[in-house]
Amino acid sequence: ADTKEHDKERMTETKAINASLSTLKDCIRARTLASQPGMGGNTHVPYRRSKLTLLMKDVFDAGCTRLCSTVVLATCSPLASDVSHSANTLKYSSPLCDGGAIIGGILGVKKGKMQVDASDPSLWSNLQVVDWLERMYPSLIDPSNFVDGLSGVQLCALPEKEYYSRLENSGTSCTGAGDDSTKLAKEIYLAVWTLISDAKTRKRRKVGTIVTKEDEENERLKMIADTKEKARIWAEREKHLSSKRST
């Protein structure tokens, strides 16, 4: 009855919302099926069908190795008359409680905890932030005063202007003068966000361990060696076949 007064634009919006919710339901169903032993490799999760589920790619993509956190809110009613609805809500939300089970079911890898990235500033304590500033910016007179008790995740959430105002208003400065403080604040802000970007794009193995630069270099050298070995084997094979044809 409340849709009678809706205009064309509102109806189009309603259809788009319903389509996204329908895709979300299909994704949850597919992921539930994928979590069952032996079913993961044959199950497709259609998270690309809508923008809503595409934004939740890391939730539905069992092969995703990105370290992230997902919060699922399931609204249930305490009334006995709504038991069926509450049970249905829990039925669809419960499979999203443990992403590790899906990874183990689909990829056949041993379930384990993600390796903590020590270079991720959002995981640093206040002391770790101060220590990083002291090591990276020795010209900063009082890093603890600049940080002012903030943890790493709080520092990451600060807007760029806050970095400038903290240097100016907290009595914290650098050994230089003039534009040096502004330049230093800009450098700290960019360095923090470089670390954040690196942490979010850090490569991980399927078991959750971090792939270091040394590991990448070793894998690259191994790939080159394997390619050369294959080329040598093929060259010997061609030489053997040529000699056989000539005889």
Side-chain angles (χ1 to χ4, degrees):
D2 59 340
T3 61
K4 291 182 178 180
E5 304 300 327
H6 287 178
D7 55 16
K8 183 179 180 180
E9 183 179 355
R10 179 59 63 85
M11 292 298 295
T12 303
E13 180 184 0
T14 302
K15 290 179 181 178
I17 293 174
N18 288 338
S20 296
L21 293 177
S22 177
T23 303
L24 177 62
K25 181 176 68 174
D26 292 339
C27 289
I28 295 176
R29 279 179 175 172
R31 171 137 186 194
T32 304
L33 182 62
S35 65
Q36 299 177 5
M39 295 297 295
N42 301 321
T43 305
H44 170 65
V45 183
Y47 60 84
R48 293 185 179 87
R49 287 183 185 173
S50 75
K51 293 293 184 181
L52 173 65
T53 50
L54 187 59
L55 289 173
M56 301 171 67
K57 174 182 181 297
D58 295 336
V59 182
F60 297 116
D61 185 7
C64 179
T65 55
R66 177 186 172 192
L67 182 62
C68 61
S69 298
T70 304
V71 178
V72 179
L73 299 179
T75 305
C76 300
S77 173
L79 300 178
S81 57
D82 295 326
V83 167
S84 59
H85 299 292
S86 297
N88 193 48
T89 298
L90 293 174
K91 173 184 176 183
Y92 285 110
S93 60
S94 57
L96 300 179
C97 293
D98 188 3
I102 306 300
I103 295 177
I106 291 183
L107 301 178
V109 298
K110 186 177 180 180
K111 179 182 173 183
K113 292 183 179 179
M114 284 283 191
Q115 180 182 348
V116 176
D117 187 358
S119 301
D120 188 351
S122 64
L123 303 178
W124 291 349
S125 65
N126 173 259
L127 294 177
Q128 288 174 307
V129 174
V130 173
D131 178 69
W132 175 75
L133 288 173
E134 289 177 345
R135 287 186 290 103
M136 299 299 297
Y137 303 98
S139 61
L140 194 62
I141 293 177
D142 190 1
S144 59
N145 195 22
F146 171 78
V147 177
D148 194 23
L150 296 182
S151 63
V153 67
Q154 292 171 323
L155 181 68
C156 294
L158 291 180
E160 183 177 357
K161 291 182 179 179
E162 184 68 18
Y163 285 77
Y164 299 102
S165 62
R166 280 177 175 267
L167 279 177
E168 295 174 359
N169 302 330
S170 64
T172 303
S173 185
C174 57
T175 54
D179 295 336
D180 288 344
S181 295
T182 302
K183 182 180 178 181
L184 180 61
K186 181 73 172 181
E187 289 179 359
I188 296 175
Y189 175 78
L190 293 177
V192 169
W193 273 98
T194 298
L195 291 173
I196 294 173
S197 178
D198 290 344
K200 288 185 177 296
T201 56
R202 192 94 62 210
K203 291 183 179 180
R204 290 177 178 271
R205 298 181 181 85
K206 294 177 180 179
V207 292
T209 56
I210 296 173
V211 179
T212 63
K213 291 183 178 180
E214 291 77 11
D215 295 335
E216 289 184 352
E217 181 64 17
N218 292 335
E219 290 178 3
R220 187 183 70 83
L221 294 176
K222 184 177 180 300
M223 186 179 298
I224 293 175
D226 291 343
T227 303
K228 289 182 178 179
E229 179 64 17
K230 289 179 181 178
R232 185 189 66 80
I233 294 174
W234 276 100
E236 290 183 356
R237 178 179 178 274
E238 291 296 327
K239 183 178 179 181
H240 175 71
L241 292 176
S242 298
S243 63
K244 235 178 149 184
R245 282 193 294 265
S246 62
T247 56

